[in-house]
Amino acid sequence: MLKLQSVEYEKILSGNLEALKQRDPDLYRTMLQCQESARSEIYRFDPAEILPNLLVDHKEGRILYYGNDDPLTYCRDYIASLDLKYAPLLVSFGFGLGLQLITILDEYSKKLDIRHMMIVEKDPCLFKQALMTLDLREIIGHPKIHFFVGIEADRLHEAFYHRFITNPEMMEYASSLKILTMPAAVEIDRSYYLQASTSLQKSIVHLLNNLGNEPYDSVTGIEGLLSNLRAIIESPGIKAFEKAFAGQPAIIIGAGPSLKKNMHLLLEGSRKALLVAVDAALGPLLQSGIRPHIVTTIERYDCTLDFYSELPELDDIFFLFCSLIHKDTYKAFRGPKIIAHRHREHEEWLGLAKGTLESGPLVGNFAFDIARYLGCDPIIMVGQDLSFEPEGHTHIFGDMSSYRSNMIPIEGNYRNDLMTNRYFEHSLKALQVQISFFDGLCINATEGGARIGGARLMTLKDALAQYCGQLFDCVPILKEIWLHQKMTRRDISIEIERILEVIASTLKDIDRIVGLCRQGLDAMATFENHHTFLIDKRPNAAIFKPLEAIETSLNGIRREILISPAMAVLGHIIQAYLTHFEMKRNFLFDCFHHPEFSKLKAFLLLREWFSIVGQLTLSTKHAIQGALKDMDAD
């Protein structure tokens, strides 16, 4: 039982704050700034009672957080009324004094198989009231209990997303997520917790979108990576340019229709800030006499080839390309080039320490991360509409009809009739997460388009006047680093030989993984042929002991696969499937009233795991071998 005894509140607060300082330094600092809550007070029916209640202000008067009964009895009765069977990821809307969490941990943790808990509380002063009242050190210090306290409603999406990213196993339980909504919390702040519910759902969808649902697209990425091998080796990596423009302003130039409003100011901006343009904006910029310092591309297909194919040699514009782009796009740009990986696994697999930018889905997200990586502050965005007006174009160069499919309304900076699509919405959500991780100032000077949370709204004219007061020349800085990092032809040849040895070793590991997957499938087939799963449409009670033994053996094979050195390349390809698989498998325990059915179904689902992991591994092998043949032909 957690400690509930009443002692002096200063001692309780001190102990709780010390635990919070170790567990969540940001929340600890927030608590130091909080005054005692003016909207709540501790209430006891009987001064001798150890467990207090909480009297909280409400629009129609004051209400008791834990009802009129004994607080612990209230918590037990309320939780029992929810009839929860399985809650590996439990979210509590409202904290109160934390008594509901004490009840959950003491009486339901094993029964519900709770793996992670998320605590959402709007009022930080109310949370501090709890820290002054009860010894909550065990809850605060628990590594699987995550706090979201005092976060503005429109910032919850980024906070949830960040927690899922830093605790990836939480996503495995997302399909079985349960929300414990404290009635008093919703009564007091209904709109906030409705927004929290929406943000939680959208953050999970956002993360699943980032993981992707088409692993063969990642297999194609491996082909692109190897087809660019010589280019990756000979080009300086972004790692050499880290913090090269520390404290200097950058202007990120998107290709949205609003760019026309700001084009005339970008010539001045090019003398006072680092200009990073997306591929589609390069042509319009050059036609207007503006030469960005960096242009970037991330597409692995040749759809961006036209942005470069008709251009002259550009020796003062640096092409910062993603390692997965189509090789013809790389060849089409005639000018200095810098490489950045999009996936850290690729960098580690080949031992090519060029630097990685794990950004969002579109090239505008990549451009933002370039500026951040180079140390720029502030980062000013123009042409970043991520939306379109009903009567306007989708891009500065005109209309792309494909972008007008599956349209949805979106909040604008200056008007409320804007539309967007799922691609732009996904990019916008990712950009808001990127901004939340950025320590500097981000300014949205698009002067149109969708509202981007976390970015300060300004005109480009005002942003240039306020933050870009000094002239500085970016090109000499870029060229000096670039020339210093260029490799000799001999060094390139040596590096290629080393990488070919890495690839040969990977292919051997891949063959071993394919063999292990076949071993798992054979073991399952043998077990199924020798055991009866159901008798009279009910699970055979005699099967569960041998089932436990075979499942232990199969999980051992799975672990052996997942720690293989080949996972350096396979990990990114199968990551999305593994997450979806674990979500589906965990959800089985919600699908059946009797857990015995869930256990049988979860076992049978392993056949799918070995089949798909084996097939994706085999496809990766063929992709690598095909890319090696193309390299020989070149």
Side-chain angles (χ1 to χ4, degrees):
M1 185 75 173
L2 293 171
K3 297 176 183 177
L4 300 175
Q5 60 266 31
S6 177
V7 295
E8 301 85 353
Y9 84 88
E10 294 93 346
K11 185 176 179 181
I12 293 176
L13 178 63
S14 176
N16 285 332
L17 286 177
E18 185 59 35
L20 196 60
K21 184 178 181 180
Q22 301 300 319
R23 179 73 176 91
D24 191 334
D26 290 339
L27 183 52
Y28 166 75
R29 286 188 286 271
T30 299
M31 290 297 100
L32 293 182
Q33 296 169 5
C34 271
Q35 303 299 318
E36 289 190 35
S37 177
R39 59 185 296 214
S40 66
E41 64 176 285
I42 297 300
Y43 180 83
R44 285 182 170 88
F45 289 104
D46 184 341
E49 289 180 343
I50 293 177
L51 287 182
N53 207 320
L54 192 62
L55 200 58
V56 188
D57 285 346
H58 183 257
K59 59 185 177 182
E60 297 177 359
R62 308 194 89 184
I63 60 172
L64 285 167
Y65 203 92
Y66 296 105
N68 297 321
D69 206 345
D70 165 64
L72 209 55
T73 300
Y74 172 88
C75 290
R76 285 173 177 147
D77 291 346
Y78 176 60
I79 294 167
S81 72
L82 299 177
D83 195 27
L84 298 172
K85 305 296 183 190
Y86 178 62
L89 178 56
L90 184 65
V91 183
S92 175
F93 283 171
F95 186 77
L97 295 176
L99 296 176
Q100 71 277 15
L101 303 180
I102 292 172
T103 305
I104 285 280
L105 289 173
D106 282 346
E107 302 178 21
Y108 287 88
S109 182
K110 290 184 179 179
K111 176 185 175 183
L112 300 181
D113 197 18
I114 297 173
R115 307 299 181 87
H116 286 269
M117 294 180 69
M118 300 168 68
I119 315 300
V120 183
E121 171 55 59
K122 177 187 177 183
D123 187 351
C125 294
L126 196 63
F127 184 74
K128 188 170 185 178
Q129 182 91 66
L131 300 185
M132 296 168 59
T133 306
L134 297 174
D135 183 352
L136 300 171
R137 288 176 295 177
E138 189 172 336
I139 290 176
I140 293 167
H142 199 296
K144 300 298 178 69
I145 298 179
H146 313 274
F147 292 94
F148 304 85
V149 177
I151 299 172
E152 295 296 327
D154 62 355
R155 309 304 297 168
L156 283 169
H157 177 275
E158 290 80 25
F160 292 146
Y161 182 89
H162 179 252
R163 196 58 55 98
F164 283 125
I165 281 288
T166 52
N167 297 269
E169 75 166 33
M170 290 172 67
M171 282 300 297
E172 297 178 6
Y173 308 112
S175 59
S176 297
L177 178 151
K178 305 295 188 301
I179 295 178
L180 172 66
T181 303
M182 293 306 295
V186 176
E187 190 72 21
I188 297 163
D189 292 303
R190 178 177 298 274
S191 62
Y192 180 85
Y193 291 106
L194 285 174
Q195 178 64 47
S197 179
T198 301
S199 296
L200 184 60
Q201 179 186 12
K202 288 188 173 181
S203 67
I204 292 170
V205 172
H206 180 185
L207 190 56
L208 290 174
N209 286 338
N210 273 359
L211 286 174
N213 58 7
E214 181 43 79
Y216 287 101
D217 190 47
S218 298
V219 173
T220 302
I222 294 297
E223 293 174 329
L225 177 74
L226 295 180
S227 70
N228 287 323
L229 187 57
R230 178 175 287 276
I232 295 169
I233 292 171
E234 67 184 9
S235 300
I238 192 173
K239 187 175 182 179
F241 297 81
E242 186 174 7
K243 306 297 182 187
F245 294 93
Q248 298 287 1
I251 301 176
I252 304 302
I253 306 170
S258 295
L259 181 57
K260 291 179 181 178
K261 301 175 184 177
N262 291 317
M263 192 74 81
H264 64 291
L265 294 172
L266 289 176
L267 186 59
E268 175 192 350
S270 67
R271 303 187 187 107
K272 298 179 177 180
L274 176 73
L275 266 55
V276 182
V278 305
D279 41 25
L282 180 59
L285 288 169
L286 293 175
Q287 290 168 15
S288 299
I290 298 156
R291 302 179 76 81
H293 306 109
I294 294 173
V295 63
T296 187
T297 288
I298 64 171
E299 286 294 339
R300 63 190 65 180
Y301 303 105
D302 62 0
C303 53
T304 57
L305 182 60
D306 290 344
F307 296 137
Y308 307 110
S309 56
E310 301 298 325
L311 297 179
E313 188 166 346
L314 303 169
D315 61 356
D316 61 341
I317 298 177
F318 288 76
F319 182 47
L320 206 158
F321 68 100
C322 159
S323 57
L324 306 180
I325 68 168
H326 196 279
K327 61 182 179 180
D328 291 341
T329 306
Y330 171 84
K331 293 174 182 176
F333 185 89
R334 293 185 291 160
K337 295 160 183 168
I338 303 169
I339 165 69
H341 295 288
R342 283 204 76 190
H343 305 293
R344 199 172 304 279
E345 295 92 337
H346 295 164
E347 182 175 18
E348 294 171 354
W349 171 42
L350 298 178
L352 287 168
K354 298 286 185 171
T356 300
L357 299 179
E358 295 180 304
S359 59
L362 298 184
V363 66
N365 302 101
F366 200 66
F368 182 92
D369 266 356
I370 290 170
R372 179 194 57 78
Y373 195 92
L374 298 184
C376 297
D377 185 13
I379 296 176
I380 303 166
M381 300 182 294
V382 298
Q384 199 73 10
D385 291 68
L386 294 172
S387 61
F388 30 84
E389 301 170 3
E391 70 282 1
H393 293 304
T394 60
H395 293 78
I396 187 173
F397 51 76
D399 208 44
M400 293 182 67
S401 58
S402 61
Y403 277 74
R404 292 192 180 275
S405 61
N406 300 317
M407 294 193 300
I408 53 175
I410 194 165
E411 181 184 359
N413 289 313
Y414 302 103
R415 53 188 295 176
N416 294 319
D417 61 345
L418 296 182
M419 303 297 290
T420 192
N421 55 47
R422 295 299 180 188
Y423 295 109
F424 279 163
E425 183 193 37
H426 186 197
S427 176
L428 188 148
K429 291 293 185 185
L431 185 56
Q432 291 178 162
V433 171
Q434 290 172 273
I435 293 170
S436 72
F437 291 163
F438 177 49
D439 291 332
L441 172 65
C442 181
I443 297 170
N444 186 357
T446 294
E447 298 182 41
R451 177 182 174 275
I452 301 172
R456 181 183 298 178
L457 202 61
M458 295 181 73
T459 66
L460 181 57
K461 182 179 179 180
D462 288 344
L464 288 173
Q466 189 168 342
Y467 296 103
C468 305
Q470 301 295 321
L471 294 172
F472 76 99
D473 193 349
C474 300
V475 175
I477 298 171
L478 291 167
K479 279 193 172 179
E480 181 182 357
I481 299 172
W482 186 81
L483 289 170
H484 183 70
Q485 292 293 318
K486 285 288 288 181
M487 294 183 72
T488 66
R489 183 172 296 181
R490 181 175 181 275
D491 289 339
I492 292 171
S493 297
I494 292 172
E495 189 71 345
I496 287 175
E497 289 302 317
R498 180 191 67 79
I499 290 172
L500 289 176
E501 290 179 5
V502 171
I503 293 172
S505 176
T506 297
L507 289 172
K508 289 181 181 178
D509 285 328
I510 280 177
D511 285 339
R512 184 168 172 274
I513 288 175
V514 171
L516 286 169
C517 287
R518 288 181 176 136
Q519 181 183 332
L521 288 170
D522 290 344
M524 289 195 70
T526 300
F527 185 85
E528 289 176 51
N529 288 335
H530 289 82
H531 292 84
T532 301
F533 281 61
L534 299 177
I535 297 177
D536 295 330
K537 298 182 180 182
R538 299 286 298 173
N540 176 10
I543 201 175
F544 288 102
K545 188 171 183 179
L547 184 74
E548 184 178 340
I550 184 66
E551 201 161 6
T552 299
S553 175
L554 292 173
N555 285 335
I557 296 174
R558 290 206 298 161
R559 280 192 297 272
E560 196 172 347
I561 289 170
L562 294 176
I563 64 172
S564 166
M567 279 298 141
V569 61
L570 289 171
H572 173 67
I573 293 168
I574 68 173
Q575 178 187 20
Y577 169 71
L578 294 180
T579 300
H580 283 282
F581 174 85
E582 294 302 337
M583 288 174 65
K584 179 164 61 172
R585 198 161 184 248
N586 282 311
F587 187 61
L588 291 174
F589 293 90
D590 276 323
C591 293
F592 296 95
H593 184 71
H594 295 289
E596 292 83 3
F597 281 105
S598 302
K599 290 177 182 178
L600 292 180
K601 193 71 174 177
F603 168 75
L604 293 172
L605 202 58
L606 289 175
R607 188 191 303 118
E608 176 196 295
W609 192 96
F610 286 112
S611 298
I612 291 182
V613 170
Q615 183 57 57
L616 288 174
T617 303
L618 203 55
S619 296
T620 303
K621 174 185 176 179
H622 294 156
I624 292 172
Q625 290 174 330
L628 290 176
K629 287 181 181 178
D630 290 342
M631 287 168 59
D632 290 340
D634 289 341

